[in-house]
Amino acid sequence: RKNGMSVKALVHVDDILYNGSHNEILDEFFQLGEKFFKKLTGGKIAENILGIKIEWDLSVPCVKLSQEAHVIKFLKEFGYDPVTTKSKSTPMPLDIELTENTGTRVTIDEWDYFKWCGYANWLVTNTRPDVALVTNQCGRYAQNPGEEHVLVQKHALRYLAGTADQGLTYYGKHEILDHPYNH
């Protein structure tokens, strides 16, 4: 706070997302950052942070968060071409109910089950609640995955191939957003 103006910042390692009550205090915050860190990028409305793409439409007003780059990396990591992969319409097959594997365990050399769970969990926790169920179900059986579990993961990858640009959209109202929150 300074002269009735304020700045709020979110910091994660070397990423800073900040906002404030007046342009004057935001400019000063940016200049102090440049002085301390020597080189900064940004100083404008955020378009990407922590791999999350941010699309603003201030006329509505709304903001969309998505992770298309992460989905593409995820697909390629598991051998799927983001362009040519035939997509599925649901995140999880409708005719399969996962249960404990009583057969042969799928090894990491055959399929990196844990890596899939990590990639999927990063999506779920940030922008893709639509794949939460399949991620949860696959994680539940991660200690002893079988072929059926891998088939479900592959199905989810095909779903992601067709929905790579999807994410979360948040809407607001000008009459609320144009007035600072006083607490």
Side-chain angles (χ1 to χ4, degrees), residues 2 5-9 16-34 40 42-45:
K2 180 179 179 182
M5 299 181 287
S6 64
V7 172
K8 293 179 180 162
I16 301 174
L17 187 62
Y18 64 93
N19 198 357
S21 59
H22 297 82
N23 285 336
E24 179 184 335
I25 194 81
L26 293 174
D27 292 342
E28 185 177 338
F29 183 84
F30 187 77
Q31 289 166 359
L32 287 169
E34 280 187 316
L40 293 180
K44 58 185 182 198
I45 292 178

Side-chain angles (χ1 to χ4, degrees), residues 66-117:
S66 62
Q67 292 175 274
E68 183 175 11
H70 181 75
V71 170
I72 290 169
K73 183 178 175 184
F74 187 8
L75 291 167
K76 288 180 178 178
E77 182 68 29
F78 285 88
Y80 286 77
D81 183 320
V83 177
T84 61
T85 297
K86 186 176 179 210
S87 66
K88 294 286 186 178
S89 61
T90 60
M92 191 166 170
L94 301 175
D95 58 346
I96 293 178
E97 184 176 327
L98 288 179
T99 59
E100 189 175 321
N101 177 32
T102 57
T104 306
R105 184 182 200 286
V106 174
T107 67
I108 195 169
D109 295 331
E110 296 172 277
W111 183 261
D112 197 337
Y113 196 87
F114 281 112
K115 184 184 278 187
W116 185 98
C117 290

